[in-house]
Amino acid sequence: MDGSVDLVERLRATCGAQHVLTDHNQLRTYESDGLLQYRELPAVAVLPGSGAEVAEVVRACHAAGVPWVARGSGSGLSGGALPVADGVLVILSRLRRIVEIDLDNQRVVCEPGVTNLAISAAVGPSHFFPPDPSSQVVCSIGGNVAENSGGAHCFKYGFTTNYVCGLEVVLADGSVVQLGGKELDRPGYDLHGVFVGSEGTLGIATAITVRVVPAPESVRTLVAFFETPGRAGRAVSEIVAAGVVPGAIEMMDRLTIDASEQMAHAGWPEDAGAALLVELDGPERECDARFAEVCKLCEDAGATGVVVARDGAQRDVFWKMRKAAFPAMGRISPHYYVQDSVIPRTRLPEVLDRIDALSREYGLPVGNVFHAGDGNLHPLVCYDGHTPGEAERAEELAGQIVLACVEAGGSITGEHGVGIDKKRYMPKMFAEPDLAAFQKLRCAFDPDGLANPGKVMPTPRLCGEVPGPYRQHPLEAAGLAERF
Ligand SMILES: Cc1cc2nc3c(=O)[nH]c(=O)nc-3n(C[C@H](O)[C@H](O)[C@H](O)COP(=O)(O)OP(=O)(O)OC[C@H]3O[C@@H](n4cnc5c(N)ncnc54)[C@H](O)[C@@H]3O)c2cc1C
């Protein structure tokens, strides 16, 4: 890092020496995010205490020409918050204030380090913040915005992007801009919409205005067991085709049930090949009527058993089973690789068969737990990293699963983002002109390429670089537009 001494001094003067880390052992805490397969040490990690300090840190990096990476809670699963060697890691965990709660207008303004669950806790029990990643106890709203995170209730309620109205953003030159506001739809370009899901490549969100919604009057939850995930998949299609919009509809296969049992002890049947967790919420009478319909649809689709949560405590156990699925996998496999892809819901049975065939071909178990309503799969590829070559085989298998999902008309990521892990697959989904358009957008926010470089785009380009030979556009020829 050129000019590092000056930069470090400037960061210390801005944030206080105790909030600027350069010691190797302290930096190791931040060498990866939730995707442990990638590791890198930053030159410096800094923990600003306010939006103004974030802006000053970014200004200092800009002046020194040093790249930086924003980090929320570091729970990301695509390597988005992986530090850049020789760069600065800007950790936002000290920015934890909920600045304003306006329940009459259903708005909350908060700093980026506030955890997802803390927002619902602050507005409950009358209201809640619907996007609910399974990591919601730890993940930050800044990270949710950057990844456009989803969760179990997104089938009915939508993703983070559907709840963010306004953002205060520090751009890569340290200037501060306001994108959107408290209104649902401001005039002009939807720039906060552009920022949501930009994975830390367009700037740092330092204040976030979100919409919260009234809590439903009633919630009913059941778990239905099936012989195979394919049969459970058919039940999902039947439920959706009947016009029911469940608050959540989640599936777990045998391997993930086995893993979660070790943490949640729900006592689910040992012979079930798949469990379908269905939750309806809304007005009590509607909920009750449709719930009976869902139970019948599951039975007609071949459920071997249906258990209805008798009270809040049993509902919590059902959800613990689902939300424990990722961490619990560590109890049955020394290592695992989390995949995140999307397929059209109707292709579930055939893609699950393909995953099963790949699992056998590579000789590695794959657990499946997913947001069934959205067709958002989370295959968990189990391996033992101590066995030579097994980590590489797991990564290759995970890649084959991504490709199978794309071939089925799906997407390389549903909610975990592209980060460093999936950028090689971007050309499978986007043609060169699309990628060039993305790069231009990125350059408009960050012409020097200092914000989270090396992420999302498969082949980073500098601003102004256009792929292919120059061809004059007819609008240019007519003098109506010019290149910039
Ligand atoms: C057990 C487990 C379960 C999970 N379940 C889900 C799930 O159900 N749904 C889901 O969507 N995800 C899930 N995730 C993934 C992860 O929790 C989400 O992506 C989350 O939004 C990341 O938040 P974070 O604060 O940890 O962000 P980080 O990992 O710190 O960062 C993620 C990205 O956001 C950027 N960033 C962070 N803060 C800011 C900011 N203020 N401004 C600009 N950029 C910023 C970073 O540069 C990085 O690119 C899960 C992860 C784990 C470990």
Side-chain angles (χ1 to χ4, degrees), residues 33-34 69-77 79-81 92 112 132-135 138-152 195 199-201 203-206 208 322-323 326-327 336 371 378 415-416 452:
D33 63 3
V69 176
R71 178 181 168 110
S73 305
S75 71
L77 290 171
L92 299 153
D132 58 341
S134 302
S135 52
V138 293
C139 68
S140 72
I141 183 67
N144 295 172
V145 167
E147 300 288 4
N148 187 19
S149 293
F195 192 91
E199 304 192 26
T201 62
I204 300 181
T206 45
I208 298 162
R322 167 60 186 90
K323 298 205 173 187
F326 288 8
Y336 64 94
H371 308 308
H378 290 316
E415 54 186 17
H416 295 171
N452 212 1

Side-chain angles (χ1 to χ4, degrees), residues 217-461:
E217 183 190 350
S218 171
V219 178
R220 304 286 313 269
T221 313
L222 65 81
V223 59
F225 302 103
F226 294 85
E227 276 171 14
T228 62
R231 278 180 180 251
R234 270 192 286 281
V236 173
S237 297
E238 296 297 324
I239 291 168
V240 176
V244 183
V245 184
I249 183 159
E250 301 282 303
M251 201 192 300
M252 298 170 72
D253 72 359
R254 184 69 248 161
L255 195 62
T256 48
I257 295 171
D258 282 342
S260 287
E261 274 292 351
Q262 298 193 27
M263 280 177 82
H265 312 292
W268 286 358
E270 286 177 8
D271 57 352
L276 193 64
L277 182 58
V278 188
E279 185 158 283
L280 298 193
D281 62 9
E284 191 159 0
R285 283 176 60 189
E286 181 189 324
C287 221
D288 285 350
R290 301 234 84 172
F291 196 69
E293 196 181 338
V294 169
C295 289
K296 171 132 185 19
L297 286 165
C298 287
E299 280 159 8
D300 291 351
T304 52
V306 176
V307 181
V308 176
R310 60 182 170 275
D311 52 25
Q314 196 175 19
R315 174 181 180 245
D316 288 349
V317 174
F318 288 3
W319 277 112
K320 193 170 175 193
M321 281 291 284
R322 167 60 186 90
K323 298 205 173 187
F326 288 8
M329 202 47 83
R331 301 203 174 199
I332 61 169
S333 174
H335 302 99
Y336 64 94
Y337 198 100
V338 183
Q339 257 305 356
D340 161 53
S341 312
V342 183
I343 51 166
R345 202 172 40 232
T346 47
R347 309 285 296 266
L348 261 177
E350 87 192 66
V351 174
L352 289 174
D353 283 350
R354 176 83 184 114
I355 293 174
D356 195 37
L358 284 165
S359 161
R360 274 185 271 113
E361 183 186 326
Y362 280 77
L364 297 174
V366 179
N368 283 295
V369 53
F370 48 93
H371 308 308
D374 300 315
N376 184 188
L377 305 184
H378 290 316
L380 303 165
V381 179
C382 300
Y383 68 97
D384 184 350
H386 306 110
T387 306
E390 206 158 284
E392 291 75 13
R393 247 190 19 259
E395 196 179 338
E396 197 182 311
L397 165 53
Q400 292 296 325
I401 293 174
V402 175
L403 297 180
C405 292
V406 174
E407 275 163 26
S411 161
I412 61 173
T413 169
E415 54 186 17
H416 295 171
V418 177
I420 193 129
D421 191 41
K422 296 274 183 74
K423 63 179 187 171
R424 71 198 116 148
Y425 304 118
M426 286 288 273
K428 298 280 176 203
M429 287 211 63
F430 298 104
E432 188 53 50
D434 301 321
L435 294 172
F438 289 161
Q439 294 273 23
K440 270 200 150 179
L441 179 74
R442 187 171 182 166
C443 287
F445 280 78
D446 174 22
D448 300 315
L450 296 177
N452 212 1
K455 312 284 172 63
V456 185
M457 288 295 130
T459 43
R461 268 197 298 272

